[in-house]
């Protein structure tokens, strides 16, 4: 038991059928855990799988390689422990036939993205210990990415993140057709506006830095639409701080006058919230979501402990760490203005590099 992967290897190689191996490889492509319905859909997408086969393979693996469990009203599937996860990653790295099989039968772009995140050149390699060189699977990755990006069920919210990942893949692996496909999407007005904040910011950078001239020519349009979404889409109280946070993160693309104007408004509101936090008010309650966004904004500044005394203590009490920011739980934005022809609700006067 000093090396539990030896146990998993023996079972995998000698006791599992090809179906169970494919299920494990599919679960790997879904990030190692998924809704039961999600992995069922991915497997039924294959021509040689049916509902009874999915049920049978899950039953065989449950309690060893995987665990199937209920949480509230949903069922989930995940690798049973970290040693299984490590073993499967090694298998995918050393025996890429299964990985090729999953790519050629992928049901969603998420599967392609999750596999890509193990490539050593990926922007955020998913593992500090294991990586999988995917260059010899470039053709399969491109084919799979092209087919799954066309899926009609991709929401506007997820599309921007998919486009950013697809662009990274095409740039790093030199996949011309995939790059052209992304460029076609970028040419459609309104496709960026509905994305998640972090995905929009990442796509702006990827388009600006792309070695592909066909991608870079869309930089101005992506920048204008993306910044309009980041600065104006969220009409809740915390929207001002979201605008200020991303104005700083994308400062090289934003005119200094715009950045200073947003900063002045955000800093004044932050001052007011900290005063309310300290002294209270019978006429005004603090919006908790707005306070958290304000604290994230304050943390941008190296002198925030001096500028907003008490902010650090609030962050510590709440266990807030903004170094690993993610807006996966962005939530629905109240009064979300829609993107229409032209730029609406824009507060920008100038954009750096917009005419480059």
């Amino acid at each position: 038991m000093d090396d539990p992967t030896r146990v998993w290897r023996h079972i995998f190689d000698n006791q599992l059928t090809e179906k169970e191996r494919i299920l494990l490889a599919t679960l790997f492509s879904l990030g190692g855990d998924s809704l039961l319905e999600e992995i069922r859909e991915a497997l039924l997408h294959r021509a040689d799988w049916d509902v009874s086969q999915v049920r049978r393979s899950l039953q065989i693996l449950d309690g060893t390689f995987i665990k199937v469990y209920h949480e509230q009203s949903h069922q989930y599937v995940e690798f049973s422990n970290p040693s299984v996860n490590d073993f499967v990653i090694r298998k995918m790295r050393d025996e890429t036939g299964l990985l090729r099989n999953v790519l050629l039968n992928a049901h969603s772009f998420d599967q392609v993205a999750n596999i890509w995140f193990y490539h050593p050149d990926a922007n955020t390699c998913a593992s500090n210990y294991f990586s999988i060189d995917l260059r010899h699977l470039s053709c399969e990755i491109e084919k799979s990415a092209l087919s799954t990006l066309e899926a009609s069920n991709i929401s506007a919210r997820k599309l921007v993140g998919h486009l950013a990942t697809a662009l990274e893949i095409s740039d790093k692996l030199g996949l011309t057709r995939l790059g052209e496909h992304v460029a076609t999407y970028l040419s459609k007005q309104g496709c960026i506006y509905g994305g998640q904040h972090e995905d929009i910011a990442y796509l702006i950078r990827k388009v600006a830095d792309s070695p592909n001239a066909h991608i870079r020519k869309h930089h101005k349009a992506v920048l204008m639409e993306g910044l309009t979404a980041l600065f104006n889409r969220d009409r809740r109280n915390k929207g001002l701080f979201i605008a200020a946070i991303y104005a700083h993160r994308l400062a090289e693309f934003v005119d200094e006058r715009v950045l200073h104007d947003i900063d002045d408004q955000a800093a004044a509101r932050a001052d007011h919230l900290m005063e309310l936090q300290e002294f209270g008010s019978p006429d005004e309650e603090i919006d908790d979501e707005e306070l958290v966004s304000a604290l994230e904004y304050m943390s941008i500044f190296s002198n925030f402990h001096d500028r907003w005394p008490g902010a650090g203590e609030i962050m510590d009490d709440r266990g807030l760490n903004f170094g690993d920011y993610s807006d996966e739980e962005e939530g629905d934005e109240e009064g979300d203005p829609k993107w229409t022809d032209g730029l609406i609700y824009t507060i920008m006067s100038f954009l750096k590099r917009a005419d480059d």
Side-chain angles (χ1 to χ4, degrees):
M1 295 301 294
D2 290 340
D3 183 10
T5 58
R6 293 175 59 188
V7 177
W8 303 126
R9 186 181 305 112
H10 175 79
I11 299 173
F12 188 94
D13 292 340
N14 299 288
Q15 298 178 20
L16 299 185
T17 69
E18 187 67 11
K19 296 292 188 185
E20 282 76 64
R21 293 170 187 155
I22 286 175
L23 189 151
L24 291 173
T26 301
L27 184 56
F28 166 77
S29 74
L30 293 171
D33 61 84
S34 79
L35 286 165
L36 178 60
E37 185 59 32
E38 186 178 9
I39 192 169
R40 181 187 287 124
E41 287 180 2
L43 292 169
L44 292 177
H45 179 70
R46 294 167 168 270
D48 57 341
W49 281 71
D50 57 26
V51 173
S52 62
Q53 180 62 63
V54 174
R55 185 184 304 113
R56 186 162 54 251
S57 293
L58 286 169
Q59 288 174 344
I60 290 171
L61 293 170
D62 191 14
T64 54
F65 284 89
I66 67 172
K67 61 180 177 181
V68 181
Y69 63 97
H70 286 82
E71 189 171 290
Q72 297 181 344
S73 60
H74 297 290
Q75 275 188 289
Y76 296 88
V77 183
E78 65 179 24
F79 289 130
S80 58
N81 62 60
S83 70
V84 173
N85 186 69
D86 291 349
F87 165 75
V88 174
I89 296 171
R90 289 178 178 178
K91 267 293 180 183
M92 297 301 102
R93 180 192 64 191
D94 299 336
E95 301 177 21
T96 54
L98 273 175
L99 207 53
R100 178 178 286 107
N101 186 304
V102 171
L103 283 167
L104 292 177
N105 292 278
H107 175 60
S108 69
F109 186 81
D110 287 326
Q111 293 178 263
V112 182
N114 285 326
I115 291 171
W116 168 252
F117 292 149
Y118 281 90
H119 185 64
D121 286 342
N123 183 60
T124 305
C125 190
S127 174
N128 294 325
Y129 306 103
F130 307 110
S131 61
I132 303 173
D133 192 334
L134 297 170
R135 287 175 296 178
H136 64 293
L137 294 173
S138 293
C139 291
E140 291 84 353
I141 289 173
E142 184 169 48
K143 181 177 180 180
S144 184
L146 287 170
S147 64
T148 53
L149 274 176
E150 291 291 351
S152 59
N153 61 346
I154 295 178
S155 66
R157 195 173 182 80
K158 294 186 70 173
L159 178 61
V160 175
H162 287 174
L163 290 177
T165 301
L167 179 55
E168 179 182 319
I169 293 171
S170 68
D171 285 347
K172 295 290 178 66
L173 297 182
L175 305 180
T176 305
R177 284 194 304 148
L178 183 56
E180 291 173 352
H181 197 66
V182 173
T184 299
Y185 269 105
L186 297 180
S187 68
K188 300 175 182 178
Q189 189 183 51
C191 78
I192 310 300
Y193 189 78
Q196 296 192 76
H197 300 137
E198 196 73 1
D199 291 339
I200 292 172
Y202 184 52
L203 183 62
I204 287 172
R205 290 191 182 281
K206 291 303 298 181
V207 171
D209 297 336
S210 176
N212 186 332
H214 294 292
I215 295 291
R216 291 198 308 275
K217 75 177 184 180
H218 297 291
H219 170 62
K220 179 179 178 180
V222 170
L223 181 63
M224 292 288 286
E225 187 176 330
L227 290 183
T228 299
L230 294 173
F231 290 176
N232 300 276
R233 192 183 70 192
D234 195 325
R235 313 305 287 180
R236 293 172 295 179
N237 291 338
K238 72 175 191 176
L240 172 60
F241 294 110
I242 290 174
I245 289 165
Y246 283 98
H248 278 274
R249 291 187 181 185
L250 297 169
E252 67 268 38
F253 302 110
V254 182
D255 187 86
E256 289 183 5
R257 285 169 289 181
V258 176
L259 178 58
H260 289 160
D261 180 56
I262 297 175
D263 254 343
D264 288 345
Q265 296 178 57
R269 183 62 183 170
D271 291 343
H272 178 66
L273 288 174
M274 292 305 296
E275 184 176 327
L276 280 178
Q277 181 72 17
E278 184 174 359
F279 301 109
S281 169
D283 302 318
E284 184 177 359
E285 292 185 2
I286 296 178
D287 180 322
D288 194 64
E289 282 191 344
E290 182 184 17
L291 178 60
V292 171
S293 294
L295 291 168
E296 181 176 2
Y297 167 72
M298 296 175 205
S299 71
I300 292 173
F301 302 93
S302 58
N303 66 337
F304 79 90
H305 287 94
D306 298 324
R307 190 170 181 180
W308 292 285
E313 184 178 348
I314 298 172
M315 293 179 198
D316 292 340
D317 290 344
R318 290 170 171 252
L320 297 175
N321 180 3
F322 298 114
D324 299 322
Y325 174 83
S326 171
D327 62 358
E328 290 180 351
E329 299 182 1
E330 233 171 73
D332 295 330
E333 290 152 1
E334 299 172 4
D336 179 6
K338 304 301 180 185
W339 177 266
T340 59
D341 291 339
L343 299 173
I344 61 170
Y345 297 101
T346 183
I347 59 174
M348 297 171 292
S349 301
F350 303 91
L351 298 174
K352 283 186 175 181
R353 297 169 60 181
D355 296 317
D356 289 354

